[in-house]
Amino acid sequence: MRTILVTGACGEIGHSLLQTFAERGNNTIIAADINQLPDEQAANVSVAVRGDISNPDFIKQLEQYNFDEVYHLAALLSTSAERNPELAHQVNVNGTMALLMMSRRIGMRTGNPVIFMFPSTIAVYGLKSLTIKNVAGKLTEDEHLKPTTMYGINKLYCEQLGAYMSDRYGQLTSESDTKTIDFRALRFPGLISATTLPSGGTSDYAPEMIHAAAQGKPYSCFVRPDTRIPFMAMPDGVKALLQLAAAPSEKLTRRTYNIGAFAPSAEEIAAKVKAAFPDADIQYNPHLRRQNIVDSWCADVDDTAARMDWGWSAEYDMQRAFDEYLIPTISGVYAG
Ligand code: SER
């Protein structure tokens, strides 16, 4: 029986993660979000608390629990963060620091390091041109780390902050040897869920295209047909989080891991959507600035480290993702 905090519980990953925790049972789940957790989700958790992670009083309220694991999912995604960079910094960076410090105090109190799971992103990459992107192909964790967005900058910094808090916090003080946090980050590709839609991301064109077609609505895609970034079906995203959280720490050679599944162009996604929904009406009207953002992200990721260290392997390639997860589930969702 573990005590687990999930921040951003109302978001897309939170939604699927809470469901998976509920199916597994046996844990005390504290769900935190700035919004009210919908009733059907509240039924899946032990306690639902509403508040802002950048508010110290809210952190104090959370700190009463002795968390074994924290899944810190709350964040502004890349498009939202470009629209409000200062708020993005406050939530994505200050909120993360506050939760890391809280976890540290809990780890000191209990004597058990808190496993701190952090969703990072392909937005940490910053490829300078499409030619460089196409030549670079699959990127390892340590290449082309020059993010062009507030979101990418926030996430790359927090990857390093978490590693620092785990390994070197206060390295010139007497507390430096105390292991209080065990930070583990996953660089997610664009995630596609059959049951929820993202808000404020720049990889949103893929899920939006599929969900629009399933509802018989036309879709105007905000990137060019040849745009390519990695994507992943949501069940694999949740699987990766739980698998990395459960991995023995001695197996881990790094604190941030890439994970890959499939890497289609927008046009290839549209072709799959049209095969399932022949009447789908998909047009392309690229939005220059959003296009520039995805063009700076990698075409695919090299996830060798995750495969070697903790046995990562996606269950859903593109075909399985569409045929066995997305299309049947989405069709059910909109059929009511
Ligand atoms: N899905 C995210 C976004 O588009 C990328 O990690 O912002």
Side-chain angles (χ1 to χ4, degrees):
M1 176 107 172
R2 320 245 318 145
T3 302
I4 297 172
L5 172 65
V6 178
T7 73
C10 293
E12 279 207 289
I13 305 177
H15 189 269
S16 294
L17 184 63
L18 291 187
Q19 217 166 347
T20 307
F21 278 137
E23 283 156 19
R24 292 186 172 190
N26 241 358
N27 290 310
T28 302
I29 308 291
I30 316 299
D33 202 287
I34 197 154
N35 297 308
Q36 180 85 37
L37 200 67
D39 285 348
E40 70 273 14
Q41 267 183 286
N44 284 340
V45 305
S46 314
V47 183
V49 279
R50 189 173 175 186
D52 176 354
I53 52 162
S54 61
N55 174 352
D57 289 335
F58 187 54
I59 297 290
K60 259 189 219 140
Q61 188 188 338
L62 296 174
E63 198 167 330
Q64 62 177 297
Y65 300 98
N66 288 334
F67 295 114
D68 299 292
E69 294 174 18
V70 171
Y71 293 75
H72 172 34
L73 311 178
L76 265 75
L77 293 182
S78 54
T79 291
S80 301
E82 286 319 298
R83 293 192 173 132
N84 198 340
E86 193 179 4
L87 177 66
H89 191 277
Q90 189 181 323
V91 175
N92 296 356
V93 176
N94 298 349
T96 301
M97 180 61 174
L99 284 162
L100 284 165
M101 290 305 295
M102 178 201 80
S103 301
R104 179 174 167 75
R105 291 188 293 271
I106 293 172
M108 299 272 274
R109 184 167 80 206
T110 63
N112 291 321
V114 176
I115 294 186
F116 195 101
M117 297 304 299
F118 184 69
S120 190
T121 166
I122 50 169
V124 297
Y125 294 112
L127 291 139
K128 290 209 162 57
S129 71
L130 271 181
T131 314
I132 296 174
K133 169 170 173 158
N134 293 336
V135 170
K138 289 188 175 193
L139 296 189
T140 64
E141 284 85 352
D142 302 318
E143 301 172 273
H144 294 283
L145 296 176
K146 292 267 183 203
T148 62
T149 59
M150 188 58 162
Y151 175 67
I153 291 167
N154 295 164
K155 289 285 185 176
L156 181 58
Y157 170 67
C158 287
E159 284 180 5
Q160 296 172 57
L161 183 62
Y164 169 82
M165 296 287 292
S166 295
D167 301 326
R168 285 180 300 282
Y169 181 81
Q171 55 191 318
L172 299 184
T173 73
S174 57
E175 289 178 3
S176 67
D177 292 334
T178 322
K179 290 274 168 241
T180 53
I181 297 180
D182 183 346
F183 178 89
R184 303 174 180 196
L186 281 171
R187 288 212 190 123
F188 281 119
L191 290 167
I192 313 179
S193 169
T195 51
T196 55
L197 268 165
S199 62
T202 320
S203 59
D204 295 6
Y205 58 91
E208 285 174 359
M209 194 185 281
I210 305 165
H211 282 258
Q215 296 170 85
K217 293 183 183 164
Y219 185 64
S220 168
C221 180
F222 59 82
V223 297
R224 291 183 319 267
D226 66 297
T227 306
R228 188 181 299 279
I229 57 167
F231 284 98
M232 179 175 285
M234 185 59 86
D236 269 334
V238 169
K239 180 182 102 158
L241 269 173
L242 296 174
Q243 206 177 327
L244 179 58
S249 57
E250 62 277 11
K251 296 265 185 210
L252 305 182
T253 58
R254 41 187 319 127
R255 293 209 172 269
T256 296
Y257 288 92
N258 280 350
I259 44 167
F262 47 94
S265 64
E267 202 169 27
E268 286 162 359
I269 299 168
K272 275 281 184 199
V273 171
K274 283 185 186 154
F277 304 104
D279 295 334
D281 175 5
I282 299 165
Q283 308 293 328
Y284 296 90
N285 290 301
H287 180 287
L288 182 64
R289 294 191 179 163
R290 294 182 95 186
Q291 179 74 59
N292 287 342
I293 291 175
V294 273
D295 281 346
S296 76
W297 297 353
C298 56
D300 202 354
V301 288
D302 179 334
D303 58 7
T304 307
R307 290 172 182 276
M308 302 285 285
D309 290 1
W310 46 278
W312 164 250
S313 155
E315 271 176 41
Y316 294 92
D317 60 10
M318 175 128 155
Q319 187 164 342
R320 259 201 93 193
F322 274 83
D323 297 353
E324 294 179 34
Y325 168 62
L326 290 169
I327 302 302
T329 314
I330 287 186
S331 304
V333 167
Y334 294 114

